[in-house]
Amino acid sequence: MHSGLPTIHGFEHLSRIPLYVPGKPIQEVQREMGLTRIVKLASNENPWGPTEAVKARVAAAIAGSDTEGLNLYPVSDGHYLRKAIAARKGVALGCVVLGNGSSELLELVAKAAFLDGGSSVIPRHSFAIYGIATQTAGGRVIESKASATELDVDDVLRSVGKDTRLVYLGHPNNPTGIRLEQAALERLVRQLREDIVLVVDQAYAEYEDPADYPDAAAYLGERPNLLVLHTFSKIHALAALRMGYGLGSKELLGCIERVRSPFNTNHLAQVAAEVAVQDLAFEAFSRQKNAEARASFDLEATRHRCQVSGTSGNFVLLESAFPAKDLFKELLRRGVIVRPMTAYGLPNHVRVTYGKPEEMQAFWSAIGPLLDGGC
Ligand SMILES: Cc1ncc(COP(=O)(O)O)c(C=O)c1O
């Protein structure tokens, strides 16, 4: 395996599991490129928050009181945050579980499902953690068909095998920015074998108009094996604190509880998220800013004759004639971090997060001369 390290018996299979490559941190690019001003559009973070109310609550928690302080363990099951989420979502307290980011919940459900092996079905071009979570838990990935612009529910249903325990669906999907319409989602929920857990990852759901978005949580009552995931890292602007939540039946969450480590979410994240989840005005503000960023990106893309895809989420896929890795490197040299999608089977696409207007301006100033009049 690693040069210089003795081979550890049983670890050989780890080399078959892809490594997750996160967006490059700002400090790393500053160090490597010797630049001071960096624009990061690589990890789908929300540049507009968190709010002052959230920051004040975290500061109070750090200052401490009779009931809280950094010397105390957090509430293990996040009771108070779960209560706030349950009230917001109109579900019972027992139907909410917290994770150290929704990534941890993607892993915990796999850990519960693959204790004695099995497979998950994952559409092509899905969020990398679905496959990694499956494989690190001892499961096998079955990839169903999908393109950069279309999800294929029928192929998901066809791909299910005898030993399939999970189906993962990004809704909307990262990096393609596409999602199912209500009828297709309903077909998946109703036609998928009942003993398979359907994991619907709604990390970007809040960026959609609630009136138009087909929320998988509507099916929680009719499908006990449904897990709907949300995160505080995106529209709630709390990526640094690591907090996500899952909605599901008490039976399903009871199974996840057996593989969740105690104190998996920390106190600062719990109190920050408790304020954030009740702040509908900040959500609406961020949604509006995102819609504005999308509209001006589309205009610039047309001007540069660039192909863009994806209509959901706080990011866009940009296709160009350049290999994504080269475009990524050239942009890095100019102080702009995007995400090459090579590892997602999209060798000519980069994913760009919508930033503030001045950040998007910096992006177009950096990429414009590279495109030389066209993608
Ligand atoms: C589709 C999707 N799901 C889940 C996550 C994980 O978010 P977190 O672990 O920060 O909650 C991400 C992060 O980029 C994502 O894009």
Side-chain angles (χ1 to χ4, degrees):
M1 262 168 82
H2 222 276
S3 60
L5 279 181
T7 305
I8 303 172
H9 182 67
F11 277 29
E12 309 82 48
H13 58 280
L14 288 175
S15 59
R16 290 197 297 270
I17 301 176
L19 265 186
Y20 182 76
V21 183
K24 255 184 173 315
I26 291 174
Q27 296 93 325
E28 193 175 305
V29 180
Q30 282 175 327
R31 211 170 57 229
E32 288 174 359
M33 301 288 161
L35 298 171
T36 44
R37 176 158 161 66
I38 305 292
V39 172
K40 184 181 179 212
L41 305 172
S43 302
N44 302 343
E45 292 138 335
N46 178 359
W48 298 102
T51 61
E52 291 309 314
V54 167
K55 288 190 234 176
R57 182 64 190 91
V58 173
I62 291 171
S65 70
D66 290 348
T67 54
E68 63 181 345
L70 295 186
N71 58 318
L72 301 173
Y73 278 101
V75 177
S76 175
D77 67 351
H79 176 90
Y80 301 99
L81 171 58
R82 286 172 51 238
K83 210 169 152 192
I85 293 169
R88 163 86 196 270
K89 293 287 171 181
V91 300
L93 182 65
C95 297
V96 183
V97 62
L98 303 181
N100 197 277
S102 53
S103 305
E104 192 198 21
L105 291 165
L106 292 165
E107 288 166 5
L108 288 180
V109 67
K111 201 170 161 188
F114 300 126
L115 268 179
D116 61 352
S119 64
S120 66
V121 172
I122 303 173
R124 187 164 162 71
H125 309 307
S126 286
F127 184 46
I129 298 289
Y130 306 160
I132 294 172
T134 298
Q135 289 179 273
T136 51
R140 181 171 59 87
V141 173
I142 299 173
E143 191 177 78
S144 70
K145 280 189 225 148
S147 71
T149 51
E150 213 171 340
L151 280 160
D152 185 340
V153 164
D154 295 315
D155 201 62
V156 170
L157 291 166
R158 266 196 304 271
S159 301
V160 161
K162 242 182 163 165
D163 71 347
T164 297
R165 311 259 158 91
L166 297 182
V167 167
Y168 285 104
L169 177 75
H171 184 67
N173 183 49
N174 169 20
T176 53
I178 51 172
R179 64 158 169 82
L180 297 176
E181 295 303 329
Q182 180 90 45
L185 177 66
E186 197 158 297
R187 208 160 73 244
L188 181 60
V189 169
R190 294 192 173 150
Q191 292 183 13
L192 186 66
R193 227 173 55 214
E194 278 178 16
D195 63 330
I196 296 173
V197 178
L198 174 59
V199 183
V200 183
D201 178 358
Q202 303 197 155
Y204 301 95
E206 295 84 357
Y207 280 105
E208 303 226 6
D209 183 343
D212 300 333
Y213 179 69
D215 187 346
Y219 301 98
L220 284 169
E222 66 176 90
R223 191 184 166 92
N225 275 346
L226 171 64
L227 182 67
V228 180
L229 299 181
H230 287 264
T231 178
F232 283 90
S233 302
K234 307 301 174 186
I235 210 160
H236 299 294
L238 291 173
L241 291 182
R242 315 303 301 125
M243 180 62 78
Y245 64 97
L247 307 175
S249 66
K250 287 181 185 155
E251 296 72 23
L252 178 60
L253 299 199
C255 296
I256 292 177
E257 191 60 16
R258 293 188 180 269
V259 292
R260 181 182 72 83
S261 56
F263 315 112
N264 63 325
T265 65
N266 74 77
H267 182 64
L268 300 184
Q270 287 181 18
V271 296
E274 196 182 329
V275 175
V277 77
Q278 299 177 64
D279 192 345
L280 299 185
F282 177 67
E283 248 181 77
F285 168 80
S286 297
R287 191 157 47 240
Q288 175 61 26
K289 288 291 176 196
N290 192 60
E292 289 168 15
R294 182 182 294 283
S296 38
F297 194 98
D298 287 351
L299 278 180
E300 280 295 325
T302 307
R303 214 165 65 78
H304 285 87
R305 284 179 271 135
C306 289
Q307 194 70 27
V308 294
S309 48
T311 52
S312 297
N314 61 345
F315 57 88
V316 65
L317 266 187
L318 183 85
E319 190 175 3
S320 85
F322 299 98
K325 279 187 168 157
D326 296 347
L327 189 55
F328 163 72
K329 278 189 200 143
E330 286 303 320
L331 287 172
L332 263 194
R333 278 158 35 97
R334 291 160 175 79
V336 177
I337 319 173
V338 297
R339 201 76 164 266
M341 289 291 116
T342 319
Y344 284 80
L346 298 164
N348 283 66
H349 290 76
V350 292
R351 196 194 64 203
V352 185
T353 305
Y354 296 131
K356 290 187 169 177
E358 59 272 25
E359 294 173 317
M360 301 320 289
Q361 227 163 38
F363 168 77
W364 287 110
S365 303
I367 200 173
L370 292 171
L371 299 176
D372 199 17
C375 274

